[in-house]
Amino acid sequence: MNEHDRPDGATMSGVDPGRLDDQQLMRELENIHRTRHDTLLYGSNDALRAHNERMAQLEGEYLRRNPSRPVAAGRTREGARERGSGESATPRS
């Protein structure tokens, strides 16, 4: 069994996110988010399933590494209620 084979017989696409450095992880995340719309609209069910799985792996690794990432007030439930008042959904420095 090589490093991309899984015990359940499926094949993992790409490098294990835990083996990527921070810059590589961000590049992978940017790429998968950029291709998301086309995969949803035009990809086969297998392609969409693989995309979902890979996105979850990459995002999970990002969250594991960045548990205290900045959260924009406008991206919370309370902030969403106030969003109509013109508050930005981007985190403040």
Side-chain angles (χ1 to χ4, degrees), residues 14 25 29-30 39-40 54 60 68 73-75 80 90:
L25 179 61
L29 281 164
E30 289 167 0
T39 305
L40 175 63
R54 182 64 174 168
S68 300
R75 301 297 292 181
T90 329

Side-chain angles (χ1 to χ4, degrees), residues 71-80 82-83 87-92:
V71 176
R75 301 297 292 181
T76 64
R77 285 184 185 185
E78 182 179 334
E82 297 173 4
R83 200 173 298 149
E87 183 177 326
S88 172
T90 329
R92 295 180 195 160

Side-chain angles (χ1 to χ4, degrees), residues 47-66:
L48 185 57
R49 193 173 4 266
H51 203 274
N52 288 342
E53 188 174 309
R54 182 64 174 168
M55 183 179 288
Q57 292 169 350
L58 293 167
E59 289 178 347
E61 181 63 20
Y62 177 83
L63 293 172
R64 186 189 70 74
R65 293 182 192 187
N66 299 282

Side-chain angles (χ1 to χ4, degrees), residues 10-63:
T11 302
M12 185 178 87
S13 147
V15 175
D16 176 356
R19 295 177 61 188
L20 300 172
D21 65 31
D22 289 345
Q23 188 175 15
Q24 292 168 323
L25 179 61
M26 288 307 294
R27 266 196 314 267
E28 289 287 318
L29 281 164
E30 289 167 0
N31 184 52
I32 202 158
H33 285 116
R34 186 174 45 256
T35 61
R36 179 65 183 173
H37 192 88
D38 283 344
T39 305
L40 175 63
L41 294 179
Y42 308 115
S44 67
N45 288 340
D46 286 342
L48 185 57
R49 193 173 4 266
H51 203 274
N52 288 342
E53 188 174 309
R54 182 64 174 168
M55 183 179 288
Q57 292 169 350
L58 293 167
E59 289 178 347
E61 181 63 20
Y62 177 83
L63 293 172

